[in-house]
Amino acid sequence: MDKVMSNKLVITLYVLPALLLILVLIYVPIILTGYYGLMKWDGIGEMSFIGLENYTKLLKDAEFWKSAFHSFLLAIFSAISLIGYLIISLILAGKIKGANFLRKIYLVPMLLSSVAIAQLWLKVYHPTNGLVNSLLISFGIDNPPAWLAEPNLVLSALFVPIIWQYAGFYILIYYAALKNIPESLIEAAKIDGANAFQIAYKIKVPLIAGVIKVTIVLAIVGSLKYFDLIYVMTGGGPNGSSEVMASYMYQKAFGTYDFGYGSAVGFFLLLICLVVTWLIRKLTATDEEIQY
Amino acid sequence: MSMVQQQKQPNVSTPLITQRPANGIVNRLGYGLLYLTLGIIAIFQVYPLVWLFFFSLKDNQEVFNNSPFALPTSPKWENYTKVWTEGNISLYFFNSVWITTVSVLLTVLLASFVTFAITRMKWKFSKLVLGLFMVGLMIPVHSTLIPLFSFFLKVNLIDHPLSVVLSYTAFNLPITIMILMGFYYTLPREVEEAAIIDGCSIHRIFFQITLPMTAPVLSTTVIINMIYNWNEFVFINTFISSDKYKTLTVGIQNFIGQYMTEWGAIGATLMISIIPILIAFFFFSNRIVEGIAAGSVKG
């Protein structure tokens, strides 16, 4: 049996196509990104080696740090909103009628493309005929702001569709984890006189700590590489006030054809994502996996 | 916090049942509030889409003169026929369908091969190879974009659908393998072992025994992949420039750029791009929910 199941030719045949694809299209490119960062290159003509010039320029580039700061704000916002999603999931998982249906309703925006969401929310934020401003005008506010054109408001305005898109996703994950907690543990706590808040705070939340940790990583790393919606809705504007790291990279490479510098930004983005993932896992490390 | 401390006071031995009648009204009020909150969130999640559907059935005059909350007075279904026939929407739609289908089939088949080899067969580097696939989950797409662009440029695949199909497949393999793995570990080996004893070849085991047994999880991965590929934007926007290969996600972006002022047409275009996904969700919501949960919690 082992002879059949360790046939080297068959293993190669089954694994090689997929392995080649990820090596050529994922692993080689991330190495090349770092390498191209050392070049002066417009993407088509000759490359010339300029050492660490792109990387030192990056460290002094105020526009880049502004975009990095915006990405960082998004990450913080997203991480904080997880608390809200957790509370909603605790309510939904608490034997409420229609929880299944509601959870599915919440998930719907997650299924749509960022472009469709972006176009829809461009209309929602439309200065005169959009949902938001029509509502504000009907409440008697005469001159509501043009949300996406105000440098001070644009980032907060963009955060609403981002919440809208991902709320259902995190609620789903928490709900699934909470439903996996054995009923006997909750029953035992009730017999000991614990109330709903105590059960939620002292039993349910600690039991799904591992899942919460994963969602923190997903939310923060996801925000750091956030791109589609912002690119379509504002293109980073007005005047760079909603630029994030990925849109800055895209603009440098495919907007101004500075592929060398764009690569340096891309490599920096990769490093940040990997370091942040590692850091969060380290900081939130639990000593042992919870068994029940 | 003070609430928690107060609740600690009652004696543990107090029968819980005696507390219930006193709390009845409070409980009902509490439940009412909970449902109100959950309902408001549900409206927040769904109303923008309902509103989109409404303005897809209006003309500009109605959009600009009437309240945005108003129902369409006489539904303009011709908005749909107009964008379907006049723009390239039908072409983009067809491209979305075939590019999604090919990528999904390729991804699920290759991922099944890999998962079978890793969970069923014995070889030295299986752990390492699995690790390579799993680390792939953490790589941001944008960090690979410039080298991919120059690679496809060199091999003449820029503005060729193959570049997109291959990229979708590569980037969806890790998540697909992860979802498949969980299921493969639960499958009994006895059937496969019996087949080997009967002299069945490994390829027949894979195609005729194992693959059919994984049908439930295959359908989950197919739907998850379908949603990802149908909605993908960055690769197609970067690699494809001719209209004849564009998919709906970038197609509608262009279309809206040209007809910026016609709200009805924009609404109809957006509805066309999201209806297939909504229909899939309507029929397969349990599979989709399971797939999204399985694909994320273990990450």
Side-chain angles (χ1 to χ4, degrees):
Chain A
M1 189 155 329
D2 279 0
K3 206 177 142 199
V4 184
M5 282 305 192
S6 55
N7 183 328
K8 288 215 169 59
L9 186 71
V10 174
I11 291 167
T12 314
L13 203 65
Y14 281 18
V15 173
L16 205 60
L19 190 62
L20 272 180
L21 267 180
I22 67 154
L23 287 179
V24 172
L25 299 182
I26 300 180
Y27 283 96
V28 172
I30 56 174
I31 296 165
L32 282 178
T33 296
Y35 171 73
Y36 290 164
L38 304 170
M39 302 288 159
K40 188 174 168 56
W41 185 37
D42 62 6
I44 297 152
E46 286 291 299
M47 276 187 216
S48 59
F49 182 79
I50 52 168
L52 289 173
E53 205 176 289
N54 283 326
Y55 291 97
T56 50
K57 183 178 151 197
L58 178 72
L59 295 177
K60 286 181 279 186
D61 182 351
E63 266 184 83
F64 169 74
W65 287 109
K66 198 171 148 192
S67 73
F69 177 65
H70 295 153
S71 295
F72 172 75
L73 281 182
L74 277 185
I76 299 292
F77 273 135
S78 307
I80 292 172
S81 56
L82 291 180
I83 300 169
Y85 305 147
L86 184 59
I87 293 171
I88 296 168
S89 313
L90 283 165
I91 296 171
L92 278 180
K95 285 183 184 156
I96 272 208
K97 266 187 210 150
N100 240 335
F101 173 74
L102 283 169
R103 186 181 52 135
K104 281 173 192 165
I105 290 280
Y106 295 166
L107 193 68
V108 168
M110 170 80 193
L111 309 168
L112 313 181
S113 76
S114 295
V115 174
I117 291 175
Q119 291 296 348
L120 167 59
W121 280 82
L122 278 172
K123 294 283 174 274
V124 171
Y125 280 128
H126 191 275
T128 52
N129 301 298
L131 273 185
V132 178
N133 282 3
S134 302
L135 203 63
L136 290 176
I137 290 167
S138 71
F139 283 147
I141 296 162
D142 285 337
N143 287 310
W147 299 91
L148 299 173
E150 305 269 350
N152 295 326
L153 294 174
V154 62
L155 214 55
S156 324
L158 284 172
F159 192 60
V160 178
I162 297 176
I163 286 191
W164 186 74
Q165 186 178 12
Y166 286 101
F169 171 70
Y170 290 108
I171 291 171
L172 163 70
I173 295 175
Y174 288 147
Y175 180 86
L178 288 167
K179 278 288 170 192
N180 270 335
I181 297 175
E183 200 56 36
S184 57
L185 284 175
I186 311 298
E187 289 300 325
K190 274 187 193 157
I191 289 166
D192 287 346
N195 64 27
F197 292 102
Q198 288 170 320
I199 292 175
Y201 181 64
K202 294 200 169 154
I203 297 172
K204 289 183 176 172
V205 172
L207 279 176
I208 63 162
V211 173
I212 294 175
K213 190 169 78 178
V214 172
T215 57
I216 295 172
V217 175
L218 283 176
I220 292 183
V221 176
S223 309
L224 291 178
K225 58 187 187 194
Y226 204 76
F227 174 75
D228 297 10
L229 195 106
I230 292 178
Y231 178 77
V232 178
M233 281 183 79
T234 66
N239 203 11
S241 51
S242 64
E243 197 85 84
V244 289
M245 281 191 284
S247 67
Y248 190 67
M249 179 243 118
Y250 202 86
Q251 182 224 318
K252 283 292 162 194
F254 299 99
T256 60
Y257 298 102
D258 195 344
F259 272 55
Y261 192 55
S263 296
V265 179
F267 193 64
F268 197 82
L269 179 65
L270 173 74
L271 287 184
I272 287 188
C273 286
L274 293 181
V275 167
V276 167
T277 307
W278 176 80
L279 208 66
I280 300 168
R281 294 199 173 224
K282 197 94 183 158
L283 288 175
T284 58
T286 32
D287 293 334
E288 54 198 280
E289 281 292 302
I290 296 160
Q291 301 275 334
Y292 37 69
Chain B
M1 209 54 215
S2 66
M3 202 129 107
V4 174
Q5 275 155 5
Q6 273 175 12
Q7 292 288 340
K8 272 184 181 167
Q9 296 292 338
N11 194 332
V12 178
S13 61
T14 314
L16 289 166
I17 300 138
T18 58
Q19 293 177 357
R20 289 236 168 110
N23 284 343
I25 295 165
V26 180
N27 269 345
R28 256 183 229 171
L29 255 175
Y31 271 108
L33 266 175
L34 285 187
Y35 274 111
L36 189 69
T37 316
L38 294 173
I40 290 171
I41 300 167
I43 291 170
F44 175 66
Q45 291 300 97
V46 170
Y47 186 70
L49 291 172
V50 176
W51 181 66
L52 171 68
F53 177 63
F54 285 166
F55 83 66
S56 77
L57 296 174
K58 295 177 177 179
D59 56 20
N60 262 6
Q61 207 190 348
E62 226 181 318
V63 169
F64 291 113
N65 296 339
N66 299 4
S67 158
F69 303 99
L71 299 176
T73 45
S74 57
K76 309 263 177 318
W77 293 103
E78 56 265 33
N79 286 341
Y80 285 82
T81 44
K82 191 183 147 198
V83 296
W84 184 261
T85 49
E86 279 181 23
N88 282 326
I89 298 300
S90 51
L91 174 69
Y92 301 147
F93 189 91
F94 175 71
N95 285 339
S96 273
V97 170
W98 83 257
I99 288 178
T100 299
T101 310
V102 173
S103 313
V104 169
L105 291 179
L106 198 59
T107 311
V108 172
L109 185 68
L110 290 181
S112 292
F113 275 132
V114 172
T115 314
F116 180 81
I118 285 176
T119 59
R120 288 299 194 262
M121 303 187 71
K122 290 200 173 72
W123 43 298
K124 228 191 289 176
F125 301 112
S126 62
K127 282 259 158 58
L128 175 77
V129 167
L130 179 62
L132 278 175
F133 279 105
M134 292 303 111
V135 172
L137 283 170
M138 296 193 300
I139 308 293
V141 170
H142 301 92
S143 301
T144 63
L145 208 54
I146 295 171
L148 280 179
F149 181 81
S150 79
F151 168 70
F152 287 130
L153 199 64
K154 269 188 202 125
V155 294
N156 270 326
L157 286 181
I158 283 295
D159 207 20
H160 190 292
L162 195 58
S163 61
V164 184
V165 170
L166 290 177
S167 304
Y168 289 179
T169 307
F171 280 86
N172 285 339
L173 274 172
I175 186 99
T176 310
I177 290 172
M178 198 169 83
I179 297 173
L180 290 178
M181 290 271 289
F183 191 84
Y184 268 76
Y185 279 126
T186 65
L187 281 182
R189 288 161 188 268
E190 283 80 8
V191 187
E192 291 161 17
E193 281 166 7
I196 292 172
I197 292 164
D198 288 347
C200 188
S201 84
I202 193 108
H203 304 298
R204 273 191 68 185
I205 292 175
F206 175 74
F207 282 106
Q208 295 192 337
I209 298 172
T210 313
L211 206 58
M213 282 200 294
T214 62
V217 73
L218 283 183
S219 63
T220 303
T221 54
V222 163
I223 295 161
I224 293 291
N225 268 285
M226 180 197 137
I227 294 172
Y228 285 171
N229 294 342
W230 185 270
N231 291 333
E232 206 283 333
F233 172 69
V234 178
F235 285 136
I236 198 115
N237 190 45
T238 313
F239 299 157
I240 301 296
S241 53
S242 4
D243 266 337
K244 61 179 176 191
Y245 297 132
K246 276 180 184 159
T247 61
L248 272 174
T249 35
V250 282
I252 56 174
Q253 183 63 5
N254 284 15
F255 181 81
I256 289 168
Q258 289 164 27
Y259 299 87
M260 204 41 139
T261 48
E262 264 191 75
W263 281 48
I266 293 170
T269 314
L270 292 177
M271 284 306 294
I272 290 173
S273 83
I274 65 182
I275 283 169
I277 295 289
L278 291 182
I279 291 175
F281 187 58
F282 183 76
F283 283 109
F284 304 106
S285 62
N286 282 331
R287 290 252 153 257
I288 294 175
V289 164
E290 268 168 39
I292 293 177
S296 52
V297 172
K298 292 172 197 160

